Amino acid sequence: MDPFRFLFRLLGPVFRHPAWPRIRAAFIVWHVFAVLIVAFPSPVRATNKDNWKKPSVQAELEAWAKRLAWVGVECTPAQLQTWSQNLTDGWVSARAKAIYPFDKYLRAVNARQAWFMFTGPDREPQRLQITIVTKSKERVPVFEMGRSVSEPELVDPDFLDAYRVRRAVLFASWGRGKDTFQLLCRYFNKELRARRDDVKDVECELLQQKVEHPARRGVERPTKVLRRLIIRSNGVERLSGEGTSTPLKEERDRATAAAQEAVRAPRPSKIPRPGERAPTPDFVRPDPGASADSSTEVPEKPRSLP
Amino acid sequence: MKKFFRETWQTIREMAIEAYRQTQLQENGAALALIRILLAGSLIIQLTPLAFTELGHDVVAFAFSDDDTGGYRNLRATPGLEFFGGNDPDVLISLLQVAFGASVLLGLGVFGRLPVIVTAVCTGIVFAQNNEVSGGGDLLLGNVLFLVLLGDSTQTLSLDAKIRTGKFVDSTPIPAWPRKLALVQLVAVYTSTGFQKLVSQTWLPFDNFSALYQILQSPQWTRFPTLITDAQGWMLVPAWIGTATTIIWECSFPMVLIKRKLRPYYGLVGVGLHIGILVLMEVGIFSWLSLALYPSLFAREIGAFFDARWPAAVTAAEPVESSAGLDAPAASNDESVGSNDETSTELDESVAPAESNVELEAQSDESEERASQSPSS
């Protein structure tokens, strides 16, 4: 009952040709080569500079730097990162040229090879949390991904459990998925407003918490807000947090408190003598590149403009 | 220097001849048929909730349709989707329903390769809409569908066989290379992912094989996000064993090509790991599809089982009535079982045709007519 019988009959002379077995053999060898070469491990995702900033990646660099120091190769995590980035860029660019024809073929037959599966655990995974603020200024938590769904009539827990939804949230938590976070918030904003009339603001937060390491069980792991988007009823959006130009409200409050504390702090009782180090207030981060007695150096007088 | 080049050339030539010989081998089609049936089962498991439930409608609209029609991002329809009616949830659901129907036909083994093509086109169009929500499972689906398309997977254990021969089982040998490509694909997937894991210390003894312990706390993957913290430490040892087993098993998986006697152990560990993944994590269709490729590891045993119970109707003296066509072997099915040497490799597990293809040209017209019906031959 093969409906393609006519096609095979049409191509019969080709399959009966004495050269056909050799052509078929060449195709099989080509396919095997293509699969093996393109599937060969390649750190394609490491070419994205944002991915290097991920805490899990930084933790890996730190661990490898320590491991290398143990075998006598001294380098800092930053040096190791630079070296790895250069190596990765070179490797990925050379590989891209080498696999070009194979990759084109595999894409054409929808047999792509990219097997990055759980290369490293996300040591600081992120969770999406949605809260609504009603017109009576009541805060109603709707759900926290992977934790609880407080309002199952607003968002179906099975919907959040679906593989494709999980993938979207995972993408939003990676460096290049910053826009996806906003898109997800807009989606839930639309859905929640359609299901409930008294919604004033919809607040989306990307929460981050370290996972428990087997060697550090029981250690407190505070949850911090990484990014926040508030969508008002008039459609105005307010984005703050990591990767944005606006710091989170908590960060601003902390900064303000630190500044006020600094103002209240007693001034140095004496003027340091030449060669003596001036006391540094704790809110001022010392420049690691500066020399030990830089604080006593007389700064160059700025030239006055003509 | 001349000697070196001569020897190198000789080696390459021998390898080419061996590779050519491999492409001529034939075997019982039951292993490929089981891959087809398991592939159909995996598709049915994935497509049923998406294509026939209200929740599935919401998920499809969220993930694959445009933000104007219920999606979370602005997605322009691909040319394929445009052809079928544009980026609308109803169109997407219809395509998935057609893919579901084709998967059922694929499982039943009817209409030859048509259900494979329909499933590949429909799922390809829908899942290619948004790469942010696609993963390894979608890649593997494309690969397995392509491999099943290459082989004559409805030769046995199919309605096609029932219609053709009056029995569901037809032990007539088919070309072995599509099944071998499936095995190569399985090795490529596991080995590639295994070696990529080596960049992370969490998969190594340096960090006490802590990878799974940490991954199982990630809300995006785990089915039970508080399992590790609620377990009060009793998950430490299972996670440690799981991590060590996974990395060793994946990195050494090419051994199945070298040592045949190791295949049952690798198969058993693989099934165990995939069941663990299915229970503890949400990785889409990936685990089901990986398991669907496992019959490629045991083609000889599966073939022997079917040959013993349902021997082929042909003998060595007769031309094989099969879509295997130009490779029509003149070998008895007992030979397809191969030797009992447990250390034998993939190379000697199938039946080599007794005559070359050119010689077969002289065979009966009827045989050639049948031969021309299969591109895999």
Side-chain angles (χ1 to χ4, degrees), chain A residues 42-62 77 81-82 84-85 88-89 92 116 119-124 126 167 170-178 180 208 227 242, chain B residues 196 199:
Chain A
S42 166
V44 179
R45 288 182 182 173
T47 51
N48 185 343
K49 299 283 181 272
D50 284 342
N51 287 346
W52 288 90
K53 294 174 192 162
K54 287 277 291 181
S56 51
V57 179
Q58 288 296 323
E60 288 292 349
L61 286 167
E62 212 165 293
Q81 179 178 336
T82 312
S84 308
Q85 272 180 330
T88 301
D89 291 346
V92 170
F116 316 100
T119 304
D122 197 349
R123 291 165 196 260
E124 295 191 25
Q126 293 158 23
R167 291 288 306 178
L170 177 70
F171 194 85
S173 68
W174 276 84
R176 61 192 174 128
K178 282 173 196 159
T180 305
Q208 189 177 45
R227 227 172 289 160
E242 190 198 86
Chain B
Q196 305 219 38
V199 298

Side-chain angles (χ1 to χ4, degrees), chain B residues 304-362:
Chain B
F305 175 83
F306 280 94
D307 281 334
R309 278 155 190 80
W310 296 278
V314 293
T315 63
E318 296 169 351
V320 174
E321 292 189 16
S322 159
S323 59
L326 292 175
D327 287 333
S332 74
N333 290 291
D334 291 337
E335 285 178 67
S336 68
V337 178
S339 70
N340 286 325
D341 176 16
E342 287 193 324
T343 57
S344 60
T345 64
E346 185 68 18
L347 304 180
D348 53 298
E349 70 180 22
S350 309
V351 182
E355 299 163 274
S356 76
N357 296 289
V358 182
E359 287 165 343
L360 279 168
E361 277 290 285

Side-chain angles (χ1 to χ4, degrees), chain B residues 4-60:
Chain B
F4 171 76
F5 279 118
R6 199 166 47 242
E7 280 176 1
T8 310
W9 169 245
Q10 189 64 26
T11 311
I12 292 170
R13 193 166 172 274
E14 279 169 12
M15 281 170 67
I17 291 169
E18 181 54 37
Y20 178 73
R21 195 182 76 81
Q22 287 290 308
T23 65
Q24 309 295 305
L25 299 179
Q26 300 211 330
E27 65 183 12
N28 187 301
L32 194 62
L34 282 175
I35 292 176
R36 167 181 57 80
I37 292 166
L38 291 171
L39 164 66
S42 309
L43 280 163
I44 289 167
I45 287 170
Q46 193 197 27
L47 294 175
T48 306
L50 284 179
F52 299 105
T53 64
E54 203 178 324
L55 175 69
H57 186 280
D58 290 347
V59 171
V60 169

Side-chain angles (χ1 to χ4, degrees), chain A residues 59-70:
Chain A
E60 288 292 349
L61 286 167
E62 212 165 293
W64 277 114
K66 277 183 196 161
R67 189 67 47 196
L68 288 171
W70 189 70

Side-chain angles (χ1 to χ4, degrees), chain B residues 51-93:
Chain B
F52 299 105
T53 64
E54 203 178 324
L55 175 69
H57 186 280
D58 290 347
V59 171
V60 169
F62 166 84
F64 301 113
S65 77
D66 194 58
D67 54 1
D68 289 339
T69 52
Y72 77 91
R73 62 184 289 215
N74 185 7
L75 288 168
R76 201 171 45 187
T78 55
L81 191 58
E82 202 65 66
F83 177 79
F84 285 104
N87 196 348
D88 184 83
D90 291 337
V91 175
L92 293 163
I93 293 288

Side-chain angles (χ1 to χ4, degrees), chain A residues 8 15 39 60 126 164 212, chain B residues 192 200 213 217 220 326 373:
Chain A
F8 301 148
F15 300 135
E60 288 292 349
Q126 293 158 23
R164 306 288 172 182
E212 185 182 88
Chain B
S192 176
S200 172
Y213 191 88
Q217 295 175 60
Q220 279 88 21
L326 292 175
Q373 290 170 6

Side-chain angles (χ1 to χ4, degrees), chain A residues 111-123:
Chain A
R112 289 178 298 138
Q113 312 286 323
W115 311 112
F116 316 100
M117 284 171 287
F118 303 111
T119 304
D122 197 349
R123 291 165 196 260

